[in-house]
Amino acid sequence: AWHALLNVRFGSSQSPEADLREARNHLDVILRRRPDDGMSRALEGLMLLLENDWERSVEAGLEATRLLPGSADVWAVLAHSYTFAGEPDRALEAIDRAMELSPGHPDFYNWIKGRALRLSGSHEPAIQLLERDLETGGNAIVQLVELAAAYAAIDRVGDARRIGRLVRQIEPNFTASEWVLHPSMSSHDMQSIEFELLSKAGL
């Protein structure tokens, strides 16, 4: 189920609708067998987010943190959901908690924090965090896309396009219109802004 969802989330799915159906089928079985499993609830949060059910996604994430309060990954998944539900300040609180629980956290925590910072209006701190990862070899497509959006948000179009070219090197068929759908933002206005920022970056 995680594999199918992450394929959709990170743009590597050949058929997002089919992968979502597969993930939903697996998840329904898991939750029937283990309804109080915290990691399964976190998975449900990601599933609901990709189904554009932002409120229930956050609810599932909060339930996961109640069941597994010491799991850094559960807090990180909740932070990710908050960024799409239009609550970047809560996303920052959740990702900071995840980082406290896992000081040697994986790079994707930095991406979530960079995204939350950008959406809260703290563009320069977001850029510093994401650029630092780029310098140390962290060139996952999600981090590059986020960095391109952060540069575009403060009209550093040259830098945004530089990062956009790196995205194209990794994924030649990348399109902003497809990227902003999986998942989409809860606010249509914010959704439009996301597309405009990535378009500025040449994506």
Side-chain angles (χ1 to χ4, degrees):
W2 276 112
H3 179 72
L5 286 180
L6 293 178
N7 275 347
V8 176
R9 174 62 192 93
F10 298 133
S12 56
S13 173
Q14 298 301 309
S15 177
E17 293 77 13
D19 277 340
L20 285 175
R21 284 195 302 273
E22 178 188 349
R24 171 52 74 185
N25 289 337
H26 287 310
L27 179 60
D28 287 346
V29 172
I30 293 166
L31 289 176
R32 281 197 299 272
R33 293 178 178 176
R34 303 175 66 185
D36 294 324
D37 179 70
M39 193 56 69
S40 297
R41 288 297 175 188
L43 173 61
E44 181 185 31
L46 180 57
M47 178 83 249
L48 289 164
L49 187 67
L50 288 163
E51 291 175 338
N52 296 327
D53 193 338
W54 303 277
E55 184 176 347
R56 289 178 62 213
S57 172
V58 168
E59 288 174 359
L62 287 170
E63 177 65 6
T65 63
R66 186 188 69 78
L67 293 166
L68 278 180
S71 169
D73 285 345
V74 160
W75 284 99
V77 172
L78 173 60
H80 176 262
S81 292
Y82 274 138
T83 66
F84 289 90
E87 300 191 68
D89 292 337
R90 289 188 175 180
L92 285 170
E93 292 174 4
I95 196 60
D96 283 344
R97 178 62 179 146
M99 289 176 165
E100 288 171 7
L101 289 166
S102 179
H105 54 77
D107 288 345
F108 81 87
Y109 284 29
N110 291 339
W111 157 60
I112 294 171
K113 183 162 186 175
R115 176 175 172 77
L117 286 166
R118 175 177 69 83
L119 291 171
S120 69
S122 299
H123 299 105
E124 290 293 349
I127 287 168
Q128 290 172 13
L129 180 63
L130 294 164
E131 276 283 9
R132 187 176 67 215
D133 272 5
L134 184 60
E135 291 168 3
T136 57
N139 61 348
I141 195 166
V142 287
Q143 291 166 296
L144 292 173
V145 171
E146 193 56 50
L147 181 55
Y151 274 131
I154 55 172
D155 290 324
R156 289 176 59 176
V157 177
D159 285 319
R161 289 184 174 273
R162 168 176 62 87
I163 301 302
R165 288 192 291 273
L166 292 178
V167 172
R168 290 278 189 209
Q169 288 174 16
I170 297 171
E171 182 48 71
N173 297 321
F174 182 97
T175 63
S177 58
E178 186 68 22
W179 182 261
V180 299
L181 292 178
H182 304 295
S184 59
M185 302 283 286
S186 62
S187 162
H188 292 300
D189 289 342
M190 289 299 298
Q191 181 85 348
S192 296
I193 290 170
E194 293 287 274
F195 177 76
E196 289 169 10
L197 293 177
L198 296 181
S199 295
K200 272 189 186 181
L203 297 169

